[in-house]
Amino acid sequence: MIVYFSGREFDGVAGTHRLMAEHLSAWHPVLYVDPPWSALTPLWYRLAELRGAAMNRTKVRGPVLRQEKPGLWRLVPRVLPGAQRPGMHHVTAWLTRVKVRRAVAKLGQPVTAVVAAVPDNLLTTFPGVPTLYYVTDDLAAGAELLGLPRERLLAGERRQAESATTIAVVSPVLGERFAAMGFDATVVPNGCSASAYEGVDDLPWPDDIPRFDRPVAGFVGHINGRLDLGLLEDIADAGHPLLLVGPRHFSCPAERFAALTARPNVVWTGMRPHTELPRYMRAITVGLTPYVVDDFNRASFPLKTLEYLAAGRSVVSTSLPATDWLREDAEGAALIRAESSRDAFVKAVHEELAASAGPDRADLAVRRRAYAARHDWMHRAREVAGLLNQVGGPHDSGDQARPGR
């Protein structure tokens, strides 16, 4: 069994860690470990909701250890209140290790590897097995957004890097950062679930959005302080229909976002299950990746860019290193628009919306899907399994697991 300390709830918007864990379970059973939960956690989320954030946090009732699908279990460790307070975070890490060992003993499966995507002291939970520190964000650059001390994040990051058997990062920028610290890191970019978007144009229209009379620009994902809200406002100002799918975090200005979503050409659905996203993709013509270009976002690898392509949609993104990495491939450069100014971004959206009725739209959709399939999560999971020496285990799925790159 692979124990996967995710740092993200299994429920909610499905991100890198849930998708990676689900695909890793094709080779070995996986225990997915949610962030710790205390008696005060519901209160914290309730306060966040009162501030206007659609948190959609899992309500922990009944078993805290349950099977989500064949080969994949999920654990929500219960800990003491004040879990991330200075000093208390060490107790939280200790309690988490204890809870995980008990869960593994209950499942009765030997642990063969550990993945940690958080800077907490968790890689030592099962001594003697291969360990992977899986870095998906520049945590220190995002300390304010995460609400945690930068110094603690930096210290935890170095401890994890020193204790891990190997390190994987999602972007070249993160690879360079760890190289500067004296550590070798393998770049394993984010992927997409290409098969989930097959036949997207034949899916039922979502019940909670209107049928638009013009091509639609859309954003799918977390609506938070990482987004350049001005770009979304500019698109709405230009009169284009704008569809927003995802929960709003309180780091996104409440009044400004409310003004945006009050416009007649803007529709916001709030949080929607990951399995329902292909239906919403049907309504989108141009997918948007409108991130602020700061140190935190420069180190990231937005999932949505590849998901838009998997649905056959055109993509307009701000100019991020991850986008540039995709565009280094000639096909990627032909299929992804990356712009570094607000005017150029809005102009690109306008052009892509106008081109959606062109004679080559069907051919472009096929090319986008084919390009996205080269970046499928199964390929990414096999890379991570290889780093952990876990390929070819009891859940190896044969032809389905063989990469097509």
Side-chain angles (χ1 to χ4, degrees):
M1 170 173 280
I2 299 172
V3 174
Y4 196 119
F5 294 100
S6 66
R8 296 288 187 274
E9 300 88 353
F10 187 86
D11 294 336
V13 176
T16 300
H17 303 302
R18 172 176 169 175
L19 295 167
M20 179 61 77
E22 288 182 334
H23 287 81
L24 277 174
S25 67
W27 286 281
H28 278 272
V30 173
L31 175 63
Y32 184 100
V33 184
D34 266 43
W37 177 279
S38 81
L40 294 181
T41 303
L43 175 60
W44 189 92
Y45 276 88
R46 177 56 182 156
L47 291 173
E49 288 167 352
L50 290 173
R51 294 171 67 182
M55 302 301 291
N56 289 281
R57 179 62 151 97
T58 304
K59 305 297 188 294
V60 179
R61 295 172 181 163
V64 294
L65 173 65
R66 66 173 183 261
Q67 188 168 14
E68 296 290 343
K69 58 185 290 188
L72 179 65
W73 287 262
R74 181 263 194 102
L75 173 70
V76 182
R78 286 183 170 166
V79 297
L80 298 174
Q84 295 303 323
R85 293 181 62 183
M88 192 65 189
H89 66 285
H90 295 301
V91 177
T92 300
W94 174 79
L95 279 173
T96 300
R97 293 194 297 268
V98 170
K99 302 284 186 177
V100 170
R101 290 184 189 124
R102 289 177 181 171
V104 167
K106 185 175 182 179
L107 293 174
Q109 301 206 39
V111 173
T112 55
V114 174
V115 178
V118 291
D120 305 316
N121 185 17
L122 299 171
L123 286 176
T124 58
T125 306
F126 297 94
V129 302
T131 57
L132 173 69
Y133 183 31
Y134 188 22
V135 185
T136 57
D137 288 301
D138 185 338
L139 297 179
E144 183 176 354
L145 182 65
L146 298 169
L148 294 172
R150 184 174 185 274
E151 294 74 15
R152 183 204 299 180
L153 293 170
L154 286 170
E157 181 180 70
R158 176 167 288 278
R159 181 186 59 240
Q160 294 289 72
E162 290 173 344
S163 62
T165 305
T166 188
I167 303 169
V169 295
V170 298
S171 72
V173 170
L174 286 171
E176 294 167 2
R177 183 167 178 271
F178 276 85
M181 295 165 58
F183 300 105
D184 293 328
T186 301
V187 178
V188 182
N190 281 334
C192 64
S193 300
S195 61
Y197 295 96
E198 292 177 357
V200 65
D201 293 313
D202 297 322
L203 293 175
W205 191 270
D207 298 331
D208 57 344
I209 63 173
R211 286 185 176 269
F212 303 95
D213 59 357
R214 288 169 291 159
V216 176
F219 172 85
V220 178
H222 286 282
I223 299 168
N224 55 29
R226 301 178 67 176
L227 298 186
D228 187 337
L229 201 57
L231 290 175
L232 299 179
E233 292 168 335
D234 288 348
I235 292 167
D237 286 343
H240 300 301
L242 178 62
L243 175 62
L244 308 174
V245 181
R248 186 192 75 82
H249 188 267
F250 54 74
S251 58
C252 175
E255 291 186 6
R256 191 173 166 190
F257 185 71
L260 172 66
T261 55
R263 303 185 193 199
N265 60 324
V266 179
V267 176
W268 176 43
T269 69
M271 171 78 173
R272 291 295 178 266
H274 184 71
T275 54
E276 291 294 311
L277 295 186
R279 294 177 61 195
Y280 292 91
M281 284 289 193
R282 180 187 172 186
I284 292 173
T285 305
V286 178
L288 308 176
T289 308
Y291 280 21
V292 173
V293 182
D294 57 16
D295 288 344
F296 189 57
N297 286 334
R298 280 178 49 79
S300 70
F301 196 108
L303 287 166
K304 54 191 62 59
T305 298
L306 287 170
E307 290 178 338
Y308 296 142
L309 293 172
R313 275 48 188 164
S314 61
V315 180
V316 178
S317 172
T318 45
S319 188
L320 299 169
T323 306
D324 296 339
W325 182 87
L326 289 169
R327 285 169 50 82
E328 287 176 4
D329 180 297
E331 187 70 356
L335 298 175
I336 303 170
R337 299 281 297 268
E339 305 296 344
S340 56
S341 73
R342 289 178 62 165
D343 289 345
F345 187 97
V346 176
K347 182 174 182 287
V349 171
H350 176 77
E351 291 173 350
E352 292 299 317
L353 289 170
S356 63
D360 59 347
R361 61 180 181 178
D363 175 65
L364 281 170
V366 170
R367 288 170 57 194
R368 290 169 187 143
R369 291 180 175 120
Y371 178 76
R374 292 163 49 192
H375 299 273
D376 191 87
W377 274 114
M378 189 59 76
H379 307 329
R380 303 296 193 239
R382 190 177 183 92
E383 291 180 67
V384 168
L387 293 173
L388 292 167
N389 299 318
Q390 301 298 300
V391 176
H395 284 253
D396 195 339
S397 54
D399 289 343
Q400 180 186 2
R402 286 201 289 269
R405 296 181 69 183

